[in-house]
Amino acid sequence: LARIALDAMGGDHAPAAAVTGALLALRDFGGSDTIQLVGRGDVIRAEVDRQLATDFARLKSEAKRIEIVHAPDVIEMTDKPSVAIRGKKHSSMVVGLRLQPEGLSDAFVSAGNTGAQMAGSTFILKLHEGLTRPAIGTMFPTMRDHLVVLDSGANVDCSAEELVQFARLGSVYAEDILGRKKPSVGLLSIGEEAEKGNAVVKAANALLRKARSEGINFQGNVEGRDLPIGASERGPIDVVVCDGFVGNVILKFYEAVAPMIFGVLSRHGVTQQQLSEALEDFDYATVGGAPLLGVRGVSIIAHGKSSPEAIKNALKVAARCVESRMSDHIGQRLAQSAAKHQGAA
Amino acid sequence: LARIALDAMGGDHAPAAAVTGALLALRDFGGSDTIQLVGRGDVIRAEVDRQLATDFARLKSEAKRIEIVHAPDVIEMTDKPSVAIRGKKHSSMVVGLRLQPEGLSDAFVSAGNTGAQMAGSTFILKLHEGLTRPAIGTMFPTMRDHLVVLDSGANVDCSAEELVQFARLGSVYAEDILGRKKPSVGLLSIGEEAEKGNAVVKAANALLRKARSEGINFQGNVEGRDLPIGASERGPIDVVVCDGFVGNVILKFYEAVAPMIFGVLSRHGVTQQQLSEALEDFDYATVGGAPLLGVRGVSIIAHGKSSPEAIKNALKVAARCVESRMSDHIGQRLAQSAAKHQGAA
């Protein structure tokens, strides 16, 4: 039974995509979950009514589980994140996030300004003990199954200790959301051997080997080639840890490379039907949203270009985070790690 | 008229792939270029004779332009690079590289231990003035055409100034080998804006903007998504500058992602014929070898798994580097940059 706040004003196709995404998600949820559309009340109300009168008349009963939370202001894509969060107290982003500490909501989803969502989530939801930063965990389609790459953009210059924090966050995520038992963690580097990598990665390798004693299933270094395969020579990989610079470059590269290869193939006469079927495996809309890991609550980052389908899937990710109680598990995991290290010291 | 030394003992399929690659290259060259096969004389001689007696009888006249340079020792893939270069003076790697300062050869190609080739090239050929490190320049297939990514593995922790050095090296490479006029240079980052990126990248962006005055056609930051496209919103990209950690991760990821997508497609019933035609665009064998840029001479790094076809193409890259006098142009370019900066100071 999750109450999910959705930023109705964020993203390139707001508010229409948000409203459609909410209706589709409520149909799929089927239960008694509710969605709180946060933004300009009159605009959202008009859009909901319009969609119920036209394309989605069949979803009238689902619409009853939509609640509108008025927020008159909007954080623009071009706004400076921390300035916007401090200055625009009545924006859909700030109002939507504040519902959680007020006990009125369980999760927040936005396709708006990602930097502002990160700053706002950290500021309003706060971080779990034992963390210096939150991380964005992104699903990567692989030959085997999805794996989680983190950080994929929140933090560009990371310390070795922060990479270990990402390993803890990613392990809980893979367990709670992907259902992996003892998820295996790989450290992204340029060679399998522990001594390969840049200075931070080499130090992180040593720390991660120690962290096996606290239950991190550290597999060792993994390489770029292991990502599309979803496994290294040592076995399947569930979580890949890297700093946000590398993670973001790889993520954006991946998003662009599949369409490029399909373009090449269609020049070679492969049919549109075959391509669009295959493309589903690579469509980021099927994944929908990436949770900002480490905050005390649920904050799901959706792509600015999100379609209604992508918004729907982001809402589903939010519901899964709430139902699995992932944020609590992260807090417990971090407390255990801290206790372990205090015991050892 | 190039004399190209080929490490006959390096790579997973040595010496057979080296001998076949040399014969195929000589057939394609057609001119009076010669290839020096460096390694155990008796082993190489026996392999050349075997191939001429069986599969390549038709290439007997080409074989006259093969010279065997004896080197009794071999640097193994597992040897520590700098130790091996100092300790194994009679290895095919050291002997093959030494031919250049001795005036006996114009280029060196190896599919052997990459670290040793980098250390040996730096130590034996020396660096051009104005450089602190050499860089590996790798060709990336894109939707538009190939672009050069550097560094793609030689240097993991780079300063901003070193990234500018890579821009100078890559510009000459793109001009001499890819034939681009005033090649456009992009700095790999996580956003187009100059203020996006990690600390080193932000500093490099400022330095590269200044370097426009010395003729670097700096386009600004580029993102992961621009790589497969071969262009950013500002226009085509010929050279992408990044540190060797990111470059290596991206390169290995790219090598693995195309086969993975083709695997998905063949599950969707795309024919083998269509796939193998399309695959040619992504086959690293068609590129063959990556030059180590910045050394005073020509040193081409081939993949350890190189097939004869890949070796042949690496030899062609070597010939193109020699004929275009790329190394001299790099020296001139760096001298001009230094003069410009002294003039400004």
Side-chain angles (χ1 to χ4, degrees):
Chain A
L1 211 148
R3 299 159 302 172
I4 303 169
L6 172 62
D7 181 355
M9 314 311 285
D12 299 354
H13 311 298
V19 170
T20 309
L23 288 168
L24 295 175
L26 286 168
R27 182 198 61 195
D28 286 10
F29 288 164
S32 46
D33 297 330
T34 55
I35 291 178
Q36 301 152 320
L37 291 172
V38 189
R40 292 190 184 130
D42 49 349
V43 173
I44 299 172
R45 169 53 52 205
E47 181 63 27
V48 171
D49 289 346
R50 192 188 66 76
Q51 294 198 13
L52 289 178
T54 55
D55 301 339
F56 297 100
R58 66 185 188 282
L59 297 180
K60 277 233 167 73
S61 71
E62 277 82 357
K64 287 178 197 143
R65 287 184 282 132
I66 284 182
E67 188 189 321
I68 295 174
V69 178
H70 181 62
D73 213 351
V74 174
I75 294 181
E76 306 294 341
M77 287 299 198
T78 48
D79 281 349
K80 275 230 156 182
S82 52
V83 177
I85 292 299
R86 278 194 304 265
K88 295 187 171 177
K89 299 279 181 219
H90 303 290
S91 59
S92 56
M93 186 87 79
V94 172
V95 170
L97 280 165
R98 287 201 56 82
L99 296 171
Q100 283 183 69
E102 288 164 358
L104 299 173
S105 184
D106 304 302
F108 178 71
V109 176
S110 178
N113 183 321
T114 299
Q117 189 177 351
M118 277 157 39
S121 301
T122 306
F123 185 67
I124 295 165
L125 304 178
K126 315 286 184 205
L127 293 180
H128 285 288
E129 285 291 331
L131 297 178
T132 49
R133 307 167 176 225
I136 300 176
T138 300
M139 298 279 195
F140 260 55
T142 79
M143 219 130 79
R144 197 177 61 87
D145 204 337
H146 285 81
L147 56 76
V148 182
V149 174
L150 80 170
D151 179 50
S152 56
N155 312 285
V156 287
D157 286 295
C158 296
S159 67
E161 173 51 42
E162 285 164 344
L163 293 179
V164 179
Q165 293 173 15
F166 298 165
R168 294 183 186 122
L169 294 173
S171 295
V172 178
Y173 181 39
E175 211 170 313
D176 280 1
I177 306 302
L178 294 177
R180 307 283 160 83
K181 302 278 165 225
K182 278 193 78 61
S184 73
V185 176
L187 174 65
L188 189 58
S189 189
I190 59 169
E192 293 179 348
E193 306 88 344
E195 68 276 9
K196 287 282 177 72
N198 58 28
V200 170
V201 165
K202 282 188 246 184
N205 183 291
L207 292 176
L208 282 165
R209 274 179 287 150
K210 276 192 214 161
R212 285 174 181 151
S213 70
E214 56 163 274
I216 298 285
N217 182 11
F218 179 53
Q219 194 198 66
N221 286 356
V222 297
E223 296 182 77
R225 64 166 187 227
D226 303 329
L227 263 68
I229 297 167
S232 78
E233 284 172 13
R234 300 193 191 96
I237 315 164
D238 299 306
V239 178
V240 171
V241 171
C242 58
D243 75 43
F245 186 88
V246 179
N248 185 277
V249 166
I250 280 271
L251 170 67
K252 291 194 178 159
F253 183 68
Y254 204 5
E255 287 178 355
V257 80
M260 175 236 178
I261 292 179
F262 292 125
V264 170
L265 281 164
S266 74
R267 285 207 302 267
H268 287 277
V270 175
T271 68
Q272 213 50 48
Q273 167 75 15
Q274 290 168 321
L275 286 177
S276 56
E277 276 171 29
L279 198 60
E280 269 173 34
D281 296 347
F282 295 92
D283 188 359
Y284 276 77
T286 65
V287 176
L292 185 66
L293 298 168
V295 293
R296 295 169 185 261
V298 178
S299 181
I300 307 291
I301 295 169
H303 208 293
K305 296 189 169 59
S306 287
S307 63
E309 195 69 19
I311 296 281
K312 181 194 83 175
N313 288 318
L315 289 164
K316 283 186 172 178
V317 172
R320 222 143 69 220
C321 290
V322 174
E323 283 150 18
S324 67
R325 303 186 57 229
M326 180 176 72
S327 182
D328 291 347
H329 295 156
I330 284 173
Q332 288 157 15
R333 173 57 154 289
L334 293 168
Q336 280 163 15
S337 303
K340 187 99 197 166
H341 286 269
Q342 274 183 332
Chain B
L1 211 148
R3 299 160 300 171
I4 303 169
L6 172 62
D7 181 355
M9 314 311 285
D12 299 354
H13 310 298
V19 170
T20 309
L23 288 169
L24 295 174
L26 287 168
R27 182 198 60 193
D28 286 12
F29 288 164
S32 46
D33 297 330
T34 55
I35 291 178
Q36 300 151 321
L37 291 173
V38 188
R40 291 188 185 130
D42 50 347
V43 173
I44 298 171
R45 169 55 50 208
E47 181 63 27
V48 171
D49 290 346
R50 191 188 67 74
Q51 294 197 13
L52 289 179
T54 55
D55 302 338
F56 297 100
R58 67 183 188 284
L59 298 180
K60 277 232 166 76
S61 72
E62 275 83 356
K64 286 179 197 141
R65 287 183 284 132
I66 283 182
E67 187 189 323
I68 294 174
V69 177
H70 181 62
D73 214 350
V74 174
I75 294 181
E76 306 293 341
M77 287 298 198
T78 49
D79 282 348
K80 275 229 156 183
S82 52
V83 177
I85 291 299
R86 278 193 305 266
K88 295 187 170 177
K89 300 279 181 219
H90 303 289
S91 59
S92 55
M93 187 85 80
V94 172
V95 170
L97 280 165
R98 287 201 56 80
L99 295 172
Q100 283 183 70
E102 288 164 358
L104 299 173
S105 184
D106 304 302
F108 178 70
V109 176
S110 177
N113 184 322
T114 300
Q117 189 177 351
M118 276 157 39
S121 301
T122 306
F123 184 67
I124 295 165
L125 303 179
K126 315 287 184 204
L127 293 180
H128 284 289
E129 286 292 331
L131 297 178
T132 49
R133 307 166 175 225
I136 300 176
T138 301
M139 298 279 194
F140 260 55
T142 79
M143 219 130 78
R144 197 178 60 88
D145 203 337
H146 284 82
L147 56 76
V148 182
V149 174
L150 80 169
D151 178 51
S152 56
N155 312 285
V156 288
D157 287 295
C158 295
S159 67
E161 173 50 44
E162 284 163 344
L163 293 179
V164 178
Q165 292 173 15
F166 298 164
R168 293 182 186 122
L169 294 172
S171 295
V172 177
Y173 181 39
E175 211 169 313
D176 279 1
I177 306 303
L178 295 177
R180 308 282 161 84
K181 302 279 165 223
K182 279 193 78 61
S184 72
V185 176
L187 174 66
L188 189 59
S189 190
I190 59 171
E192 293 177 350
E193 306 86 346
E195 67 277 11
K196 288 282 177 71
N198 59 28
V200 170
V201 165
K202 281 187 247 184
N205 183 290
L207 292 177
L208 282 164
R209 275 179 288 151
K210 275 192 214 160
R212 285 173 181 153
S213 70
E214 56 163 275
I216 299 284
N217 182 11
F218 179 54
Q219 194 197 67
N221 286 356
V222 297
E223 296 183 76
R225 65 169 187 225
D226 303 328
L227 263 69
I229 298 168
S232 77
E233 284 171 12
R234 298 193 191 96
I237 315 164
D238 299 305
V239 178
V240 171
V241 171
C242 58
D243 76 43
F245 186 89
V246 179
N248 185 277
V249 166
I250 280 270
L251 170 67
K252 291 193 176 158
F253 182 68
Y254 205 5
E255 286 179 356
V257 79
M260 174 236 178
I261 292 179
F262 291 124
V264 170
L265 282 164
S266 75
R267 285 207 303 268
H268 286 277
V270 176
T271 69
Q272 212 51 48
Q273 167 75 14
Q274 290 168 322
L275 286 176
S276 56
E277 276 172 27
L279 199 60
E280 268 173 34
D281 296 346
F282 296 93
D283 188 358
Y284 277 76
T286 64
V287 175
L292 185 66
L293 299 169
V295 294
R296 294 168 186 262
V298 178
S299 181
I300 306 291
I301 295 169
H303 207 294
K305 296 190 169 61
S306 286
S307 63
E309 195 69 20
I311 297 280
K312 181 194 83 175
N313 287 317
L315 289 164
K316 283 185 171 178
V317 173
R320 224 144 65 221
C321 290
V322 173
E323 283 150 19
S324 67
R325 304 188 55 229
M326 180 176 72
S327 182
D328 291 348
H329 296 156
I330 285 174
Q332 287 156 15
R333 173 57 155 287
L334 294 168
Q336 280 162 15
S337 303
K340 186 99 199 167
H341 286 269
Q342 275 184 332

